[in-house]
Coordinates of all heavy atoms in Angstrom, one line a residue:
V18 N 119.1 65.5 93.1 CA 117.7 65.7 92.5 C 117.9 65.7 91.0 O 118.8 66.4 90.4 CB 117.1 67.0 92.9 CG1 115.7 67.2 92.3 CG2 117.0 67.0 94.4
L19 N 117.2 64.9 90.2 CA 117.2 64.8 88.8 C 116.2 65.8 88.2 O 115.0 65.7 88.6 CB 116.9 63.4 88.2 CG 117.0 63.2 86.7 CD1 118.4 63.4 86.2 CD2 116.4 61.9 86.4
I20 N 116.6 66.8 87.4 CA 115.8 67.9 86.9 C 115.8 67.9 85.4 O 116.9 67.8 84.8 CB 116.2 69.2 87.5 CG1 116.0 69.2 89.0 CG2 115.5 70.4 86.9 CD1 116.4 70.4 89.8
Q21 N 114.6 68.2 84.8 CA 114.6 68.5 83.4 C 114.3 69.9 83.2 O 113.3 70.4 83.7 CB 113.5 67.6 82.7 CG 113.4 67.9 81.2 CD 112.3 67.0 80.6 OE1 111.3 66.7 81.2 NE2 112.4 66.8 79.3
R22 N 115.2 70.6 82.6 CA 115.0 72.1 82.3 C 113.8 72.3 81.4 O 113.6 71.5 80.4 CB 116.2 72.7 81.6 CG 117.4 72.9 82.6 CD 118.5 73.7 81.9 NE 119.7 73.8 82.7 CZ 119.9 74.7 83.5 NH1 119.1 75.7 83.6 NH2 121.0 74.7 84.2
L23 N 113.0 73.3 81.7 CA 111.9 73.6 80.9 C 112.3 74.4 79.7 O 113.2 75.3 79.8 CB 110.8 74.4 81.7 CG 110.2 73.6 82.8 CD1 109.2 74.5 83.6 CD2 109.5 72.4 82.4
K24 N 111.8 74.1 78.5 CA 112.2 74.8 77.3 C 111.5 76.2 77.2 O 110.4 76.3 77.5 CB 111.8 73.9 76.1 CG 112.5 72.6 76.1 CD 112.5 72.0 74.7 CE 113.2 70.7 74.6 NZ 113.9 70.1 75.6
P25 N 112.3 77.2 76.8 CA 111.7 78.5 76.7 C 110.8 78.6 75.5 O 110.9 77.9 74.6 CB 112.9 79.4 76.5 CG 114.0 78.6 76.0 CD 113.7 77.2 76.5
E26 N 109.8 79.5 75.6 CA 108.9 79.8 74.5 C 109.6 80.4 73.3 O 110.4 81.3 73.5 CB 107.8 80.7 75.0 CG 106.8 80.1 75.9 CD 106.0 79.0 75.3 OE1 105.6 79.1 74.1 OE2 105.7 78.0 76.0
A27 N 109.4 79.9 72.2 CA 110.0 80.4 71.0 C 109.1 81.4 70.2 O 109.3 81.8 69.1 CB 110.5 79.3 70.0
K28 N 108.0 81.7 70.9 CA 107.0 82.6 70.3 C 106.6 83.7 71.3 O 106.4 83.4 72.5 CB 105.7 81.7 70.0 CG 104.7 82.4 69.2 CD 103.7 81.3 68.8 CE 102.3 81.9 68.9 NZ 101.3 80.9 68.5
T29 N 106.5 84.9 70.9 CA 106.1 86.0 71.7 C 104.6 86.0 72.0 O 103.9 85.3 71.3 CB 106.6 87.4 71.1 OG1 105.8 87.6 69.9 CG2 108.0 87.4 70.9
A30 N 104.2 86.9 72.9 CA 102.7 87.0 73.2 C 101.9 87.4 72.0 O 100.8 87.1 71.8 CB 102.5 87.9 74.4
S31 N 102.6 88.2 71.1 CA 101.9 88.7 69.9 C 101.9 87.7 68.8 O 101.4 88.0 67.7 CB 102.5 90.0 69.5 OG 103.8 89.9 69.2
G32 N 102.6 86.5 68.9 CA 102.6 85.5 67.9 C 103.8 85.5 67.0 O 103.9 84.7 66.1
I33 N 104.8 86.3 67.3 CA 106.0 86.3 66.5 C 107.0 85.2 66.9 O 107.2 85.0 68.1 CB 106.7 87.7 66.6 CG1 105.8 88.8 66.1 CG2 108.1 87.7 65.8 CD1 106.3 90.2 66.4
F34 N 107.4 84.4 66.0 CA 108.4 83.3 66.3 C 109.8 83.9 66.4 O 110.2 84.6 65.5 CB 108.3 82.2 65.3 CG 107.1 81.4 65.4 CD1 106.0 81.6 64.6 CD2 107.0 80.3 66.3 CE1 104.8 80.8 64.7 CE2 105.9 79.5 66.4 CZ 104.8 79.8 65.6
L35 N 110.5 83.5 67.5 CA 111.9 84.0 67.7 C 112.9 82.9 67.2 O 112.6 81.7 67.3 CB 112.1 84.2 69.2 CG 111.2 85.2 69.9 CD1 111.4 85.1 71.4 CD2 111.5 86.6 69.3
P36 N 114.0 83.4 66.6 CA 115.0 82.5 66.2 C 115.6 81.8 67.4 O 115.7 82.3 68.5 CB 116.0 83.3 65.4 CG 115.8 84.7 65.9 CD 114.3 84.8 66.3
E37 N 116.1 80.6 67.2 CA 116.6 79.7 68.2 C 117.8 80.4 68.9 O 118.0 80.3 70.1 CB 117.1 78.4 67.7 CG 117.2 77.3 68.7 CD 117.4 76.0 68.1 OE1 116.5 75.5 67.4 OE2 118.5 75.4 68.4
S38 N 118.6 81.2 68.2 CA 119.8 81.8 68.8 C 119.4 83.0 69.7 O 120.2 83.3 70.6 CB 120.7 82.4 67.6 OG 119.9 83.4 66.9
S39 N 118.2 83.5 69.6 CA 117.8 84.6 70.5 C 117.1 84.2 71.8 O 116.8 85.0 72.7 CB 117.0 85.6 69.8 OG 115.7 85.1 69.5
V40 N 116.7 82.9 71.9 CA 116.0 82.4 73.0 C 117.0 81.9 74.0 O 117.8 81.0 73.8 CB 115.0 81.2 72.6 CG1 114.3 80.7 73.7 CG2 114.1 81.7 71.5
K41 N 116.9 82.5 75.2 CA 117.8 82.0 76.3 C 117.2 80.8 77.0 O 116.0 80.6 77.0 CB 117.9 83.2 77.4 CG 118.8 84.3 76.9 CD 119.1 85.3 78.0 CE 118.6 85.0 79.4 NZ 118.9 86.0 80.3
E42 N 118.1 80.1 77.7 CA 117.7 78.9 78.4 C 117.1 79.3 79.7 O 117.6 80.2 80.4 CB 119.0 78.0 78.7 CG 118.6 76.6 79.1 CD 119.9 75.7 79.2 OE1 120.5 75.7 80.2 OE2 120.2 75.1 78.1
H43 N 116.0 78.7 80.1 CA 115.3 79.0 81.4 C 116.1 78.5 82.6 O 116.7 77.4 82.5 CB 113.9 78.4 81.4 CG 112.9 79.2 80.8 ND1 112.7 80.5 81.1 CD2 111.9 79.0 79.9 CE1 111.7 81.0 80.5 NE2 111.2 80.1 79.7
N44 N 115.9 79.1 83.7 CA 116.5 78.6 84.9 C 115.4 77.9 85.7 O 115.3 78.0 86.9 CB 117.1 79.8 85.8 CG 118.3 80.3 85.1 OD1 118.8 79.8 84.1 ND2 118.9 81.3 85.7
E45 N 114.4 77.3 85.0 CA 113.3 76.7 85.6 C 113.3 75.2 85.2 O 113.6 74.9 84.0 CB 112.0 77.4 85.2 CG 110.8 77.0 85.9 CD 109.6 77.8 85.4 OE1 109.8 79.0 85.2 OE2 108.5 77.2 85.3
G46 N 112.9 74.3 86.1 CA 112.8 72.9 85.7 C 111.8 72.2 86.5 O 111.2 72.7 87.4
R47 N 111.6 70.9 86.1 CA 110.7 70.0 86.7 C 111.5 68.9 87.3 O 112.3 68.3 86.7 CB 109.7 69.5 85.7 CG 108.7 68.6 86.4 CD 107.3 68.5 85.7 NE 106.7 69.7 85.2 CZ 106.0 70.5 86.0 NH1 105.8 70.3 87.3 NH2 105.4 71.6 85.5
V48 N 111.2 68.5 88.6 CA 111.8 67.5 89.3 C 111.3 66.1 88.8 O 110.1 65.9 88.9 CB 111.6 67.6 90.8 CG1 112.3 66.4 91.6 CG2 112.2 68.9 91.3
L49 N 112.2 65.3 88.3 CA 111.8 64.0 87.8 C 112.1 62.8 88.9 O 111.3 61.9 88.9 CB 112.6 63.6 86.6 CG 112.4 64.6 85.4 CD1 113.2 64.2 84.2 CD2 110.9 64.6 85.0
A50 N 113.1 63.0 89.7 CA 113.4 62.0 90.7 C 114.2 62.6 91.8 O 114.9 63.6 91.6 CB 114.3 60.8 90.0
V51 N 114.0 62.1 93.0 CA 114.7 62.6 94.2 C 115.3 61.5 95.0 O 114.7 60.4 95.1 CB 113.6 63.3 95.1 CG1 114.2 63.8 96.4 CG2 112.9 64.4 94.3
G52 N 116.5 61.8 95.4 CA 117.3 60.8 96.3 C 116.6 60.7 97.7 O 115.8 61.5 98.0
P53 N 117.1 59.8 98.5 CA 116.5 59.6 99.8 C 116.9 60.7 100.8 O 116.3 60.8 101.8 CB 117.1 58.2 100.3 CG 118.3 58.1 99.5 CD 118.1 58.8 98.2
G54 N 117.9 61.4 100.5 CA 118.4 62.5 101.5 C 119.7 62.2 102.0 O 120.1 61.0 102.1
A55 N 120.5 63.2 102.4 CA 121.8 63.1 103.0 C 121.7 62.6 104.4 O 120.6 62.7 105.0 CB 122.5 64.4 102.9
L56 N 122.8 62.1 105.0 CA 122.8 61.7 106.4 C 123.5 62.8 107.2 O 124.4 63.4 106.8 CB 123.7 60.4 106.5 CG 123.1 59.2 105.8 CD1 124.2 58.1 105.9 CD2 121.8 58.8 106.3
N57 N 122.9 63.1 108.4 CA 123.5 64.1 109.3 C 124.6 63.4 110.2 O 124.9 62.2 110.0 CB 122.4 64.8 110.1 CG 121.7 63.8 111.1 OD1 122.1 62.7 111.3 ND2 120.6 64.3 111.6
K58 N 125.1 64.1 111.1 CA 126.2 63.5 112.0 C 125.7 62.3 112.8 O 126.6 61.5 113.1 CB 126.7 64.6 113.0 CG 127.4 65.7 112.4 CD 127.9 66.6 113.5 CE 127.9 68.1 113.0 NZ 128.3 69.0 114.1
D59 N 124.5 62.3 113.1 CA 123.9 61.2 113.9 C 123.5 60.0 113.0 O 123.0 59.0 113.6 CB 122.7 61.6 114.7 CG 123.1 62.8 115.7 OD1 124.2 62.8 116.2 OD2 122.2 63.6 115.9
G60 N 123.7 60.1 111.7 CA 123.3 59.0 110.8 C 121.9 58.9 110.4 O 121.4 57.9 109.9
Q61 N 121.1 60.0 110.7 CA 119.7 60.0 110.4 C 119.6 60.8 109.0 O 120.3 61.7 108.8 CB 118.9 60.7 111.5 CG 119.0 59.9 112.8 CD 118.2 60.7 113.9 OE1 117.9 61.8 113.7 NE2 118.0 60.0 115.0
R62 N 118.6 60.4 108.3 CA 118.3 61.1 107.0 C 117.7 62.5 107.2 O 116.8 62.7 108.0 CB 117.3 60.3 106.2 CG 117.8 58.9 105.7 CD 118.3 59.0 104.3 NE 118.8 57.7 104.0 CZ 119.9 57.5 103.2 NH1 120.5 58.5 102.8 NH2 120.3 56.3 103.0
V63 N 118.3 63.4 106.4 CA 117.8 64.8 106.4 C 116.7 64.8 105.3 O 117.0 64.4 104.1 CB 118.9 65.8 106.1 CG1 118.3 67.2 106.0 CG2 120.0 65.7 107.1

Side-chain angles (χ1 to χ4, degrees):
V18 180
L19 182 66
I20 295 178
Q21 180 178 27
R22 285 187 187 267
L23 297 180
K24 298 199 181 349
E26 289 291 323
K28 186 170 141 182
T29 64
S31 60
I33 299 171
F34 286 97
L35 301 171
E37 198 171 302
S38 61
S39 70
V40 179
K41 284 186 10 178
E42 196 172 90
H43 271 311
N44 289 357
E45 188 178 323
R47 181 153 317 275
V48 176
L49 298 179
V51 178
L56 298 173
N57 63 13
K58 290 185 217 175
D59 301 326
Q61 297 176 348
R62 293 262 177 218
V63 176

